[in-house]
Amino acid sequence: MHFQRALSPVASSSENSDKSSAESDSETEPEQASVYHKLLATLKTSPESESEEDDDESESEEAGESETEMDSEESQETGEAEGGEEDENDIPDKEEAKDTAEQMPEEEQANGAYTSCDPSHEVIEEFTDVKHESEFSLETNFMEEESEDCNADERKSSTSQVFSEDPFKQHMDKEMEEKEVEKISTLSKSSSQMKWPRLGQLTFSSTLEKHKTLKPDKEVDVKQLHLHKPLEITWPKVNKQLLSSLNKTSDPCFTPLQRELFCIMNTYRDLFYPERTALTNGEEIRLAYCLHTLNHVLKANAQVLSNNAKRRDQKPGIDNDDYRDQGLTRPKVLMVVPFRECALRIVHIFIRLLEVNNERKIDVSNKKRFKGEFGSNPEEKPPNLKRPEDYEAVFAGNIDDHFRIGVAILQKSMRLYAPFYSSDIIIASPLGMRTIIGAEGEKKRDFDFLSSIEILIIDQADIYLMQNWEHVLHLMKHMNLLPLDSHGVDFSRVRMLNLNNWSKYYRQTLLFSALQDPQINSIFNKHCFNYMGQVAVRNIPQIGSISHVVVQLPHVFRRLEAENLTSVIDTRFQFFVDKVLPEYRDAIMSHTLIYVPSYFDYVRLRNYFKKEELNFVHICEYTKKAGICRARRFFLKGERQFLLLTERFHFYKRYTIKGIRNLIFYELPTYSHFYSEICNMMKATASGMDATWTCTVLYSKYDAQKLAAVVGIDRTAQMLQSKKNVHLFITGENE
């Protein structure tokens, strides 16, 4: 597959391990032992080879074009050539989109090596540091830090007193039986519905016995949340600024959304929240999961520290299983975010949460280096750009999407750029994970550090649909596998759940997205096995984005019939070629824009248009700036009848395409508000032509979620029941 990563605003990467694009779903996990003695043997041998399929694509000719993305060296484009567009370079130069490794010459791939820390370092140095291993050791660092802390004993005692009520202790100390694990693996989940004041309609699902009904608290006493000591003091201060921006809030610690989200997080259930937007509630949610992450890590490390002291004081020769408090590897939390700016904000929140007051500043190692690599220069962005507010919110700051960084949390300090096997938290992008996990047969690949992840946070999952979803799938397939090496672990301290290879049944997954999508739903349904169960927010849009179309425009929704989900792609193409395109071949139907969400559908249509010698131009995420300028000019002046436009290009650029008179949505857009945005581009066309404007949308019964987001749930129900084409006429915002 030549298309590794759609236009993604990052610097070019030449990591050799990234040359294999789409990992097959048939990839099998290594054979895994399930008891202590088998594990010892397993760690000395290699697992069964993973079987992968080569994903052949017919669009081989795209390889050449896929090497040509937007030119980040040019600064601005003339308004005349663009038909009035003020600026083409809407992303800072050094953050402009580049091709991925497989789109580069093979010799460059072979010579390239990526590290998130320093290009001069070898990849292996990111995960092992033999010289400084003792310095990064959890036991060594925490013993030294805590021995100087006069409040250490108080913290330990408070932790032991509340362990029976502490959700962390309840979750991690739960001893599952083999029959329970078998149930989770084989039986279907039972579900129940509940409506909460802020989150709305929730679906609770679990394979094991029904848990007690979870109800939201109207007000939360921070002391009842079992937060680790520093967080009880710092959280209200950190969240105060966000609370002050809200007019009405009765809770002094949480916003209504944060309160209900944290109520679920703190029970260690999996959570899927598909209404996270960068413009409205993004920071609220980020603060909430950062609090949960730090609370978990501090408790886990405090437990290790407490047991260190007990083991030191016990008589020699006594073997006690009470001290099993660790996983097979140290990393406990994996936070997947799309851009470096997101990682920067997360680390800043961590620092603020750990600083009790101005007098007790924590020591942050490599802070200057971190700001240099993850920060951004506001002056790099051209001042005259005009883009929608949601675009500005998503693409704020450093939008490089190839990074990974380990963070070690100590009582008085935080270590950035910690080796992964000495880290508590890993913050990374899907591409950053993909290039270190690698593919079978590659020499430099590693995923042992994912073996004992206890909390997985995937934020802004919708953006990964615009980057490369295969990276997310590849990551999920390598979560919580038995490590290939012992990495110096003390097996007497490893929890039995990890030795039995049951860690995936204890892992909590927090999934946040701006939309509901079948691929995102699949991650939550097929890759999450938490014994505590799952909670998914399932609100149905009552009013679709079509209500935001401000031009008078007839909308014709044409239904196509497909036998099954796998045949939809071919059925849609044939339906378009046989029934839709002939209506637009006439010269009178000029200025027709065809909006294509899928890159592969775009390639197929482009090849067909070339074969039929149709008068058209095309713009995708790989088109050079000169090609974009030329295509837009030809389309505006009517010198080309059709314009093929990909969704990813619109996502990353948001240019106003002028001259549209006829609009065809080859498939409903991934983001519902793109529908109204594209329709409203007709405002840029000269007045007096509105009588001839048309909009045609192709859909099938498998597009129910996208359809509801565009036209609303009531119309969707009617359209799915009827097999006739639906004609809607929108007269303005109020219909």
Side-chain angles (χ1 to χ4, degrees), residues 259-305:
R259 182 172 62 249
E260 295 186 10
L261 287 176
F262 192 78
C263 179
I264 297 172
M265 293 180 194
N266 209 29
T267 63
Y268 283 88
R269 289 174 169 88
D270 292 342
L271 171 64
F272 176 33
Y273 182 70
E275 298 175 15
R276 184 248 194 254
T277 60
L279 190 60
T280 57
N281 57 17
E283 288 306 309
E284 278 185 84
I285 294 170
R286 182 180 286 120
L287 281 163
Y289 69 63
C290 283
L291 172 65
H292 181 58
T293 297
L294 267 189
N295 191 40
H296 179 85
V297 170
L298 290 175
K299 287 179 179 179
N301 289 347
Q303 184 181 34
V304 173
L305 172 66

Side-chain angles (χ1 to χ4, degrees), residues 626-681:
I628 297 171
C629 176
R630 184 169 54 252
R632 295 175 68 185
R633 183 175 65 249
F634 286 162
F635 184 72
L636 174 63
K637 294 182 177 180
E639 297 178 16
R640 297 291 186 272
Q641 183 174 354
F642 298 98
L643 169 60
L644 294 178
L645 185 77
T646 63
E647 182 172 70
R648 282 183 172 92
F649 174 82
H650 181 67
F651 174 80
Y652 283 109
K653 292 299 183 183
R654 299 289 187 91
Y655 294 161
T656 297
I657 306 297
K658 297 187 176 183
I660 305 173
R661 297 180 189 173
N662 305 290
L663 182 59
I664 300 175
F665 285 92
Y666 186 78
E667 184 181 356
L668 286 161
T670 303
Y671 290 90
S672 60
H673 64 276
F674 282 3
Y675 184 88
S676 56
E677 278 188 19
I678 299 295
C679 290
N680 290 334
M681 286 182 185

Side-chain angles (χ1 to χ4, degrees), residues 236-277:
K237 296 178 182 178
V238 172
N239 206 39
K240 183 178 181 180
Q241 183 177 358
L242 183 63
L243 289 169
S244 62
S245 64
L246 301 177
N247 296 329
K248 296 181 180 180
T249 174
S250 58
D251 193 328
C253 298
F254 293 89
T255 67
L257 175 61
Q258 287 176 332
R259 182 172 62 249
E260 295 186 10
L261 287 176
F262 192 78
C263 179
I264 297 172
M265 293 180 194
N266 209 29
T267 63
Y268 283 88
R269 289 174 169 88
D270 292 342
L271 171 64
F272 176 33
Y273 182 70
E275 298 175 15
R276 184 248 194 254
T277 60

Side-chain angles (χ1 to χ4, degrees), residues 74-77 86-93 95-96 377-387 392 625:
E74 298 183 23
S75 59
Q76 293 186 351
E77 165 187 3
E86 71 282 354
D87 195 339
E88 285 287 343
N89 189 18
D90 62 345
I91 297 178
D93 289 347
E95 296 162 6
E96 187 67 15
N377 185 358
E379 297 180 357
E380 292 178 345
K381 187 173 183 179
N384 62 338
L385 289 178
K386 295 181 180 179
R387 295 291 182 266
E392 298 290 349
K625 184 170 293 186

Side-chain angles (χ1 to χ4, degrees), residues 385-402:
L385 289 178
K386 295 181 180 179
R387 295 291 182 266
E389 289 182 345
D390 67 292
Y391 178 93
E392 298 290 349
V394 169
F395 293 104
N398 189 333
I399 49 176
D400 181 354
D401 72 347
H402 192 182

Side-chain angles (χ1 to χ4, degrees), residues 196 215-221 224-225 251 256 259-260 263:
W196 283 20
K215 295 183 179 180
D217 298 319
K218 293 183 179 180
E219 292 187 13
V220 177
D221 183 359
Q224 296 178 354
L225 294 176
D251 193 328
R259 182 172 62 249
E260 295 186 10
C263 179

Side-chain angles (χ1 to χ4, degrees), residues 171-443:
H171 181 63
M172 300 307 298
D173 290 349
K174 160 80 173 178
E175 294 185 2
M176 295 179 63
E177 299 179 0
E178 289 191 14
K179 61 180 181 180
E180 292 179 310
V181 173
E182 187 177 352
K183 282 184 180 180
I184 297 175
S185 304
T186 58
L187 299 181
S188 58
K189 300 182 178 111
S190 59
S191 61
S192 60
Q193 306 288 329
M194 185 178 296
K195 191 169 184 178
W196 283 20
R198 178 61 181 83
L199 292 178
Q201 195 68 34
L202 303 183
T203 299
F204 291 80
S205 58
S206 176
T207 305
L208 303 181
E209 296 81 4
K210 288 187 177 181
H211 300 281
K212 61 180 181 179
T213 304
L214 184 63
K215 295 183 179 180
D217 298 319
K218 293 183 179 180
E219 292 187 13
V220 177
D221 183 359
V222 70
K223 294 182 179 180
Q224 296 178 354
L225 294 176
H226 304 282
L227 296 180
H228 199 67
K229 281 291 181 181
L231 302 179
E232 289 184 5
I233 303 171
T234 58
W235 170 251
K237 296 178 182 178
V238 172
N239 206 39
K240 183 178 181 180
Q241 183 177 358
L242 183 63
L243 289 169
S244 62
S245 64
L246 301 177
N247 296 329
K248 296 181 180 180
T249 174
S250 58
D251 193 328
C253 298
F254 293 89
T255 67
L257 175 61
Q258 287 176 332
R259 182 172 62 249
E260 295 186 10
L261 287 176
F262 192 78
C263 179
I264 297 172
M265 293 180 194
N266 209 29
T267 63
Y268 283 88
R269 289 174 169 88
D270 292 342
L271 171 64
F272 176 33
Y273 182 70
E275 298 175 15
R276 184 248 194 254
T277 60
L279 190 60
T280 57
N281 57 17
E283 288 306 309
E284 278 185 84
I285 294 170
R286 182 180 286 120
L287 281 163
Y289 69 63
C290 283
L291 172 65
H292 181 58
T293 297
L294 267 189
N295 191 40
H296 179 85
V297 170
L298 290 175
K299 287 179 179 179
N301 289 347
Q303 184 181 34
V304 173
L305 172 66
S306 177
N307 287 338
N308 285 346
K310 293 177 182 178
R311 280 170 57 96
R312 179 189 58 195
D313 298 338
Q314 77 175 9
K315 296 179 180 180
I318 300 177
D319 189 14
N320 195 334
D321 269 358
D322 292 341
Y323 302 138
R324 295 191 178 276
D325 51 17
Q326 303 175 22
L328 290 165
T329 53
R330 178 170 171 179
K332 306 169 185 66
V333 181
L334 173 62
M335 309 178 80
V336 182
V337 292
F339 305 122
R340 285 182 183 257
E341 173 67 18
C342 305
L344 181 72
R345 296 185 185 186
I346 287 172
V347 170
H348 284 170
I349 293 173
F350 285 164
I351 294 173
R352 290 158 60 198
L353 285 173
L354 289 173
E355 290 182 344
V356 178
N357 51 51
N358 293 332
E359 297 179 358
R360 292 189 60 185
K361 294 283 187 181
I362 67 166
D363 177 30
V364 182
S365 303
N366 302 312
K367 188 174 182 179
K368 183 177 179 180
R369 174 186 175 187
F370 176 73
K371 286 184 176 180
E373 294 184 5
F374 285 78
S376 62
N377 185 358
E379 297 180 357
E380 292 178 345
K381 187 173 183 179
N384 62 338
L385 289 178
K386 295 181 180 179
R387 295 291 182 266
E389 289 182 345
D390 67 292
Y391 178 93
E392 298 290 349
V394 169
F395 293 104
N398 189 333
I399 49 176
D400 181 354
D401 72 347
H402 192 182
F403 63 91
R404 51 185 179 264
I405 183 171
V407 181
I409 304 293
L410 309 180
Q411 289 294 342
K412 290 184 178 179
S413 64
M414 174 189 297
R415 191 182 305 277
L416 302 176
Y417 296 98
F420 275 11
Y421 291 100
S422 297
S423 300
D424 298 300
I425 303 169
I426 296 172
I427 308 172
S429 65
L431 180 60
M433 283 287 93
R434 176 65 179 81
T435 52
I436 191 58
I437 293 174
E440 184 187 357
E442 296 176 0
K443 294 182 179 179

